[in-house]
């Protein structure tokens, strides 16, 4: 039996974005499925006392430079967003609503479009109207999506799912759990690949 | 002109240890020299408000597992030290004294031995006597070294060098600066190599 790859990420995480451009093809190479888990790092940071890299003393300039250099190195379309970070409740809830109502494939299509909108096109995905526009460009019903985003059910699900992730040890983005092993960071994908390839690491 | 690779590290940093096992051969492949800069992360953490990964809420277990898994993956001899982290003043000062009195090559030999002692043999390098033993096993005069470690000059130099590193943007271990580019982390060595190989990144 081959296990699902659990892919946890926050829509405001550049390394999460980088991983999102690779995870599906990586999984496909080894016959695996990916379960995408949008989450709110903000909730986790409240418990861990952490914060975005760019806000950490001494690390800010380095972090922005590393985002750009790492994207260039891996040939990922990236431009520094006009505002960073942004609140990602609307985007995460939208993805969850699409997962529930239109299936995982459509939700992944949305996630990739939203990530690219923010980290390449400079569209502020903290804004619900921008999120609705991204969804409607994919043929989704923007009004129904907005109702979904604002429903108590989806709001609760995002909170609960984030807490479930934390309970499994998730503390950053991207965070990958597969075959009982946990990996934090875009720069651990080579180890994820080794595990998928060799069955152990 | 080919520039020197400035390699900053703390002797209590596992990823610094991992990088120390690779940096010389990496530099040699591209005709570069490495300048080793032992420093005190503790001083930097006071400014950055950071702390060792293993002490961060939620991250501790993951960090220990990642040390072990990453070492195994890269075929680096590693065993979890009995106490982590340890104070590294004595080791860093010893290396500086050897650099000043016996040259860089001997100092690097010492640094590698000290790192391996701590991260593989379980020897607590926070203890000056253990540091002196490591040095004397390399044919150095332990008594002269202890005098050096305790001299005001070396103490001051370690503090000053750490501050000079900070002024260049160093905030973690390992930290590499070469040709005007800064890289944080063992997991950026592939980018350092690309820079050395292609002359740009």
């Amino acid at each position: 039996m081959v296990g699902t790859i659990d892919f946890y990420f926050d829509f405001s995480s550049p390394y999460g974005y980088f991983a999102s451009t690779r995870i599906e093809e990586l999984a496909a190479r080894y016959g695996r499925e990916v379960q995408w888990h949008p989450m709110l790092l903000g909730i986790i940071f409240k418990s861990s006392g952490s914060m975005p890299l760019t806000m950490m003393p001494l690390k800010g300039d380095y972090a922005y430079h590393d985002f750009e250099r790492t994207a260039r190195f891996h040939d990922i379309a990236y431009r520094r967003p006009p505002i960073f970070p942004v609140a990602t409740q609307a985007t995460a809830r939208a993805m969850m609503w699409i997962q529930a109502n239109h299936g995982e494939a459509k939700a992944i299509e949305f996630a990739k479009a939203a990530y690219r909108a923010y980290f390449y096109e400079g569209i502020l995905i903290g804004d619900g109207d921008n999120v609705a526009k991204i969804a409607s460009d994919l043929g989704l019903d923007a009004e129904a999506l907005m109702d979904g985003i604002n429903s108590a059910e989806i709001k609760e699900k995002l909170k609960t799912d984030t807490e479930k992730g934390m309970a499994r040890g998730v503390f950053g983005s991207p965070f990958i759990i597969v075959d009982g092993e946990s990996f934090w960071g875009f720069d651990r994908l080579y180890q994820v690949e080794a595990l998928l390839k060799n069955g152990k690491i």
Side-chain angles (χ1 to χ4, degrees), chain A:
Chain A
M1 197 196 103
V2 291
T4 297
I5 297 172
D6 284 307
F7 173 52
Y8 294 87
F9 60 96
D10 183 292
F11 275 108
S12 198
S13 156
Y15 301 119
Y17 165 53
F18 300 165
S20 78
T21 69
R22 295 290 186 268
I23 193 75
E24 286 292 330
E25 64 184 33
L26 173 59
R29 269 204 297 285
Y30 300 96
R32 301 290 184 115
E33 299 278 326
V34 183
Q35 177 65 50
W36 292 50
H37 299 274
M39 55 165 189
L40 295 179
L41 263 188
I43 293 180
I44 293 174
F45 285 171
K46 270 183 202 161
S47 291
S48 66
S50 193
M51 64 181 87
L53 261 178
T54 53
M55 292 181 169
M56 291 181 183
L58 312 182
K59 297 185 182 171
D61 289 347
Y62 176 85
Y64 281 118
H65 186 61
D66 189 64
F67 300 161
E68 205 175 301
R69 190 171 58 191
T70 296
R72 195 167 58 234
F73 188 91
H74 294 279
D75 208 14
I76 297 166
Y78 170 85
R79 285 192 206 120
R80 180 170 166 167
I83 296 174
F84 179 85
V86 288
T88 50
Q89 277 87 345
T91 329
R93 286 178 197 151
M95 183 175 188
M96 288 184 151
W97 180 84
I98 300 167
Q99 284 174 320
N101 293 279
H102 298 276
E104 188 71 9
K106 196 73 186 173
I108 292 172
E109 199 185 336
F110 166 80
K112 290 186 171 182
Y115 253 146
R116 186 182 165 93
Y118 181 50
F119 283 111
Y120 184 61
E121 293 155 23
I123 294 165
L124 297 177
I125 56 172
D127 181 329
D129 289 341
N130 291 338
V131 173
K133 173 76 167 57
I134 293 165
S136 78
D137 285 350
L138 297 173
L140 293 160
D141 179 339
E143 235 174 283
L145 177 111
M146 286 305 273
D147 287 347
I149 289 181
N150 292 316
S151 73
E153 191 193 337
I154 292 281
K155 286 182 184 181
E156 186 57 28
K157 184 169 163 52
L158 177 56
K159 234 184 108 213
T160 312
D161 279 13
T162 299
E163 283 160 3
K164 278 186 196 160
M166 275 178 72
R168 295 187 73 192
V170 175
F171 58 77
S173 168
F175 202 99
I176 288 163
I177 305 180
V178 57
D179 296 351
E181 288 285 324
S182 300
F183 301 90
W184 172 40
F186 176 62
D187 40 31
R188 285 294 176 276
L189 282 190
Y190 73 101
Q191 292 190 13
V192 174
E193 173 144 25
L195 172 61
L196 298 179
K197 191 176 179 180
N198 306 323
K200 66 184 175 66
I201 185 164

